[in-house]
Amino acid sequence: AGHNRPGVQAPAEVDWVELKDPHPTGPVTLERVALTDPSGRAVGVLKPGDPYSCFYMVHAREPLDALIFGVMVNDRLGTPICGDNTVSLQDGLVSLPSPGRYVVRLEYRWPELQPGDYTATFGVGRGTHALHHDVLSWAQNAVAIRAISPARPVHGVFNNPVRGLEVTPVEPD
């Protein structure tokens, strides 16, 4: 059984993307998605540290447990760059106790990615492992995002920040 946070709802207005071909392969279908700022407005540009939410409107045709929701960020060529899913959270497996439509929201902070154009792929799976589970429905490259980094340069695809520096003399002149 998964953990559902009571009271988590979409803002009154969410800029949804309607999915014409949501790739259903099981008992749940991903019908709409959104990548928004905290107020529910679609996000076009993100910089490191910006909060954003990924919303899913799903239709469950039966009661379901052990669902996994995740997002993968892809570069302009479609190469996966970063992502995560709910297995990373304590009690991150989701239960949908009865047939119907549900709104799911994942909250993130934008990483230090190389400035450029990216897309987000949304997915719903079932299982208990972050990487090895059954994919039930997904929306490939459903939302476009432009990454900027005005405060600091990004070295490579993403930064791996220096956490310390030490200089030790080994041989004096």
Side-chain angles (χ1 to χ4, degrees), residues 3-152:
H3 173 71
N4 295 333
R5 279 181 28 199
V8 174
Q9 296 181 8
E13 296 291 324
V14 172
D15 289 332
W16 290 103
V17 174
E18 299 287 336
L19 302 175
K20 293 179 178 33
D21 185 17
H23 304 293
T25 61
V28 65
T29 301
L30 184 52
E31 295 181 336
R32 298 189 287 176
V33 297
L35 194 148
T36 75
D37 65 16
S39 71
R41 287 188 304 269
V43 172
V45 177
L46 289 166
K47 66 183 182 307
D50 279 353
Y52 68 98
S53 296
C54 292
F55 286 96
Y56 299 68
M57 174 71 72
V58 296
H59 181 206
R61 288 178 286 290
E62 61 189 54
L64 297 164
D65 61 359
L67 292 180
I68 300 168
F69 290 82
V71 174
M72 179 64 67
V73 174
N74 307 300
D75 70 9
R76 63 183 179 79
L77 301 175
T79 304
I81 300 299
C82 63
D84 201 6
N85 62 42
T86 55
V87 175
S88 296
L89 300 170
Q90 183 176 2
D91 298 323
L93 298 179
V94 176
S95 294
L96 304 179
S98 59
R101 285 185 171 75
Y102 295 83
V103 172
V104 175
R105 174 166 69 185
L106 304 182
E107 297 172 4
Y108 294 93
R109 289 214 177 269
W110 190 252
E112 287 187 352
L113 287 182
Q114 179 69 36
D117 295 324
Y118 296 88
T119 59
T121 294
F122 294 68
V124 182
R126 192 172 196 184
T128 57
H129 192 280
L131 299 175
H132 306 290
H133 52 266
D134 295 326
V135 176
L136 301 179
S137 188
W138 72 95
Q140 187 78 25
N141 301 321
V143 177
I145 311 125
R146 174 164 281 266
I148 62 172
S149 185
R152 107 184 218 153

